[in-house]
Amino acid sequence: MTTSNKIEKLLWAIALPGFGQFLNKKYVKGITLIILEFVINTQAHLNLIIIYSFHGDIAGAIHATDYHWLMFYPCLYMFGMWDAYKDAGTTAPYAYLPFVLGAFFGTVGIIYSAKLKLFGVLFGPVWLPMLFAFIGIFTGIVMFQIIRRARR
């Protein structure tokens, strides 16, 4: 399997959890992830809070958010990406670290999104988890590289 094929499946999984699984012909997993995506999205009011966040109404986004449901989202999203990438071909040991840490940090970002201000700015339940997820992904990539070099 070519690297570009793995990247293609990863990008489709980023578009919507489950799409990468369909490309990998893992239909039951794909349908399950799509159903979970719609249930969590609906119950957490994710589309509404994205609209509020893009309009700069962070208070409205925080008020509209069902945090009990939204906390599932980073793990579902990152698992969908990891699973699509992994099933697309051979994967290096510890390549899961960026996905796991992205999910963990994204969830922590949700937990603190209603209160934590960075540089005096309240980012809310969309932007703060995304920022934290990117920090987790970057940390995971660094850890993966360190482990890979140490194992040589």
Side-chain angles (χ1 to χ4, degrees), residues 30-43:
I31 290 169
T32 301
L33 287 170
I34 289 171
I35 289 169
L36 286 170
E37 153 69 26
F38 279 103
V39 168
I40 294 169
N41 185 311
T42 303
Q43 295 299 316

Side-chain angles (χ1 to χ4, degrees), residues 3-59:
T3 301
S4 66
N5 196 19
K6 289 176 71 77
I7 301 292
E8 175 189 4
K9 291 172 181 176
L10 174 65
L11 291 173
W12 277 107
I14 289 171
L16 186 75
F19 281 8
Q21 285 71 17
F22 274 101
L23 289 174
N24 286 327
K25 297 181 178 22
K26 307 284 182 162
Y27 301 114
V28 173
K29 266 199 268 190
I31 290 169
T32 301
L33 287 170
I34 289 171
I35 289 169
L36 286 170
E37 153 69 26
F38 279 103
V39 168
I40 294 169
N41 185 311
T42 303
Q43 295 299 316
H45 312 288
L46 185 57
N47 288 346
L48 181 61
I49 66 173
I50 289 170
I51 291 169
Y52 281 141
S53 295
F54 268 83
H55 288 174
D57 184 2
I58 301 302

Side-chain angles (χ1 to χ4, degrees), residues 124-136:
V126 171
W127 304 119
L128 190 67
M130 285 177 63
L131 175 64
F132 274 40
F134 286 126
I135 291 169

